[in-house]
Amino acid sequence: MISKDMVKLGTQRSVIREIFELGKLRAAIVGRENIHDFSIGNPNVPAPQEVKDAIKDIVDNESPVAYHSYTSSPGADETRDAIASSLNRRFGTNFTKANMFISCGAAASLNICLKAMTASSDDEYIVFAPYFSEYKFFIEAAGGKFVMIPADTEAFQIDFDLFEKAINKNTKAVLINSPNNPSGVVYTEETIKKLAKILVEKSKEYGEIIYLISDEPYRELVYGNVVVPFVTKYYDNTLVCYSYSKSLSLPGERIGYVLIPSEVGNFEDMFAAVAGSARILGYVCAPSLFQKVITKCVDVMPDLTIYERNRNLLNDSLTKMGYRVAKPDGAFYLFFAAPDGDSIAFCEKAKEHDLLLVPGDGFGCPGYMRLSYCVQTEQIERALPVFQKLI
Amino acid sequence: MISKDMVKLGTQRSVIREIFELGKLRAAIVGRENIHDFSIGNPNVPAPQEVKDAIKDIVDNESPVAYHSYTSSPGADETRDAIASSLNRRFGTNFTKANMFISCGAAASLNICLKAMTASSDDEYIVFAPYFSEYKFFIEAAGGKFVMIPADTEAFQIDFDLFEKAINKNTKAVLINSPNNPSGVVYTEETIKKLAKILVEKSKEYGEIIYLISDEPYRELVYGNVVVPFVTKYYDNTLVCYSYSKSLSLPGERIGYVLIPSEVGNFEDMFAAVAGSARILGYVCAPSLFQKVITKCVDVMPDLTIYERNRNLLNDSLTKMGYRVAKPDGAFYLFFAAPDGDSIAFCEKAKEHDLLLVPGDGFGCPGYMRLSYCVQTEQIERALPVFQKLI
């Protein structure tokens, strides 16, 4: 007998994948242009020219042994240096390469951190709805307990009353994701400050550090004048999980990092635990050519023109039609309420018009729907009459 | 408190890494050319020209959205197809893309398979010494028990008497690695046949499939007319873990696969469990650009000229001096006995001459030493007098 849990995890396609597959099926019947598919968060903006230039520069001018060899497990020194310096320039921090562990993307980073921290099966991880559905599986795979705080559906910040009540002596860490998937909402500085204050107090009360894990693949995707607070500046015991998947449109390349500030309690043990955990999850090193590419492109920022245009068009149109929309300041998601509160029924009805949305239920937030707007603007224009019809 | 196990795993550098670091330290003092460093298995033959051509062809002629996007989790269809067809051409097999799960290299493949199979903490995995030291950590991380069969130091094949005695109702799988790290020995067809026969009998006896996991990163690195038996042809319940790290000199790129033949019992469950396990270890997909590179280079074979010359020179010289050497048919390792049986003392003495070897103790085979000959031939020529002095 093999592992039933793994069979189940491999068989149960996520709801998002199910809807995506349906879209492909319907496209084959009625034509791609007649499908309003807003189900998947796959960046449609190509990687910036600098990435292509960097790849060609490296393969043209360096030796394959230099760019295809193993790096040390936390990554190449030059890559770790370059990222630390870039963060310092942008956020006024004081990181060095000693704080950087280059990883195979955000999912790898999260799994590595969770495995590094989990010391007992009593360890609890607090997550705020709406949350990225895989978190639950990652936390349980590391041997911890998943604790969900229901959504604050007023502002999609944090329901601090429920949060404070959920913290106990077993709380190992709190996992946040801002800009958020699925809501597109950015936590305000006020939210981060209040969160930090509670974590300081509760760590003191229980005599054990409560860590903060900040999952930030969408950090660079914000619109207007919105600023994403850089979390390590507000709370010492923060680990940042980052990925270049969205900011440089490199989701397939699996490259990102874990940032472990020196201020983290027992810093040396934490860094060692991250390395140990990466080791036994099978991560030998992050892809070496792309470590070099990142080194060259560390200050390249994404072109947000299309995403911002899409977000404005959708937000304005849906609001005008009378939909209740969460403040869409970041990522490429719009989260909005089903008019009658039943998101599953709404999504089913939408399907009849070949409009594909993801119900919020799988993100711990029933009554709402996620719409990914990393699509062509024309697709949105074609879909607007359907949204009008459905309200 | 964080995980003590992970801190330990991250702090204890492997013996190999320790020796490698010593080499760097000594090189800074006496000069790189005076260090005889045979500690690390990092290919020194550059990736073939076809790899560079493939990278440039893809970035010049395809869209970044096509080559940097997520693939489905088992890999891009074209890559899975290409590898299956290449295996069929070379080994007369009948694989299709449905048998291929593209992964982030052999360490990822092994961890994925072990996690997929382990259903209970009683599950045992049998490994034959000498074995790659990380196996123990991988098996324990998956929640299984590591069972080592001592080395057959006559031929470095398998001690079948000890093996048969070790099998019991908890035996989940047997893990082999041929060509072998650290011995460089290739299992003969006779060995594989006998192994298969026992596994068939014992699976029947206990009424449970005993799987065979074949870790084959060195499959393409063999010398003379030696043939590496293709294991799935001898035993139905075989999973192959492969990596392009050594065959295409791409260790840093983390690209390989798990091959799951349709003949594997409960094939669909096993494939699903592999997918589920990859999912919760944080492997979203294998690096996408290199999936395309592999598709184009699937039939490219490594240039073995340097390795073969090094192997012949070392084997002939050491044998002539009177050292007892394991038959070095594959990989880029030579395994030889300490003249007085004390490999740790021999390695310490060698260090005084700046000759860096890895004692076999960490590979479960005390009394022997591993020598990596993926080095410049001149380094071997310079080191030979030291070997002469030490015997």
Side-chain angles (χ1 to χ4, degrees), chain A residues 72-232:
Chain A
S72 79
S73 91
D77 280 353
E78 54 163 14
T79 308
R80 298 164 71 200
D81 263 336
I83 298 174
S85 303
S86 171
L87 291 172
N88 295 343
R89 278 193 299 276
R90 294 179 56 210
F91 303 110
T93 45
N94 287 296
F95 303 122
T96 71
K97 67 165 188 268
N99 303 113
M100 310 302 309
F101 192 96
I102 315 302
S103 73
C104 295
S109 297
L110 283 169
N111 279 284
I112 288 169
C113 289
L114 292 165
K115 184 94 184 165
M117 287 179 186
T118 308
S120 141
S121 56
D122 292 330
D123 288 350
E124 296 182 3
Y125 293 89
I126 293 179
V127 168
F128 304 104
Y131 65 92
F132 178 50
S133 348
E134 295 291 290
Y135 288 169
K136 183 168 190 290
F137 304 116
F138 293 168
I139 289 168
E140 289 172 353
K145 283 193 184 123
F146 173 84
V147 177
M148 184 193 79
I149 309 297
D152 149 31
T153 49
E154 280 310 305
F156 286 95
Q157 298 288 315
I158 290 174
D159 186 325
F160 282 106
D161 287 340
L162 293 178
F163 173 51
E164 285 204 65
K165 279 180 204 143
I167 302 177
N168 63 54
K169 67 177 170 43
N170 293 320
T171 306
K172 175 66 50 172
V174 172
L175 170 50
I176 61 172
N177 172 222
S178 163
N180 182 264
N181 175 8
S183 78
V185 171
V186 176
Y187 282 167
T188 62
E189 188 177 30
E190 194 194 337
T191 295
I192 299 295
K193 278 185 174 166
K194 197 160 173 188
L195 175 62
K197 189 164 169 280
I198 293 170
L199 290 176
V200 168
E201 285 166 7
K202 292 288 183 178
S203 294
K204 209 172 156 190
E205 181 180 337
Y206 293 111
E208 277 279 355
I209 296 169
I210 302 174
Y211 296 96
L212 180 59
I213 304 175
S214 183
D215 180 27
E216 309 185 352
Y218 300 100
R219 190 176 61 215
E220 268 60 76
L221 276 60
V222 283
Y223 311 106
N225 296 318
V226 170
V227 173
V228 180
F230 196 74
V231 185
T232 67

Side-chain angles (χ1 to χ4, degrees), chain A residues 1-4 6-14 17 41-47 51-52 55-56 59-60 64-65 67-72 104 107-108 111 115-119 123 134 137-138 141 172 208 211 245-246 249-254 266 269-270 272-277 279-290, chain B residues 1-4 6-14 17 41-47 51-52 55-56 59-60 64-65 67-72 104 107-108 111 115-119 123 134 137-138 141 172 208 211 245-246 249-254 266 269-270 272-277 279-290:
Chain A
M1 196 196 308
I2 61 173
S3 167
K4 280 183 187 159
M6 296 305 122
V7 174
K8 202 173 145 196
L9 275 166
T11 313
Q12 287 185 328
R13 237 192 223 148
S14 77
R17 283 270 156 195
N42 214 345
N44 70 325
V45 170
V51 168
K52 182 173 171 177
I55 296 172
K56 293 185 74 170
V59 300
D60 277 337
V65 173
Y67 57 80
H68 288 318
S69 286
Y70 293 119
T71 68
S72 79
C104 295
N111 279 284
K115 184 94 184 165
M117 287 179 186
T118 308
D123 288 350
E134 295 291 290
F137 304 116
F138 293 168
K172 175 66 50 172
E208 277 279 355
Y211 296 96
S245 292
K246 320 293 177 178
S249 290
L250 296 175
E253 304 305 347
R254 316 311 308 137
N266 308 316
D269 274 2
M270 181 61 89
V274 162
S277 158
R279 181 179 177 187
I280 52 121
L281 291 172
Y283 294 103
V284 177
C285 63
S288 52
L289 175 64
F290 276 85
Chain B
M1 195 195 308
I2 60 173
S3 167
K4 281 183 185 157
M6 295 306 121
V7 174
K8 202 171 146 196
L9 275 166
T11 314
Q12 288 183 331
R13 237 192 224 146
S14 77
R17 282 273 156 190
N42 214 347
N44 70 326
V45 170
V51 168
K52 183 174 169 173
I55 296 173
K56 293 185 72 170
V59 300
D60 278 337
V65 173
Y67 57 80
H68 288 319
S69 287
Y70 293 119
T71 69
S72 76
C104 295
N111 280 284
K115 185 93 184 164
M117 286 179 187
T118 307
D123 288 350
E134 296 291 291
F137 304 116
F138 293 168
K172 175 68 48 173
E208 279 279 356
Y211 296 97
S245 293
K246 320 294 179 180
S249 291
L250 296 175
E253 304 305 346
R254 316 312 306 139
N266 308 316
D269 274 2
M270 181 61 89
V274 162
S277 155
R279 180 179 177 187
I280 53 122
L281 291 171
Y283 294 103
V284 177
C285 65
S288 52
L289 174 64
F290 276 86

Side-chain angles (χ1 to χ4, degrees), chain B residues 88-127:
Chain B
N88 294 343
R89 279 192 297 278
R90 295 178 57 208
F91 302 111
T93 46
N94 288 297
F95 303 123
T96 70
K97 66 166 188 270
N99 303 113
M100 311 301 308
F101 192 97
I102 315 301
S103 72
C104 295
S109 297
L110 284 168
N111 280 284
I112 288 168
C113 289
L114 292 165
K115 185 93 184 164
M117 286 179 187
T118 307
S120 140
S121 56
D122 292 330
D123 288 350
E124 296 182 3
Y125 293 89
I126 293 179
V127 167

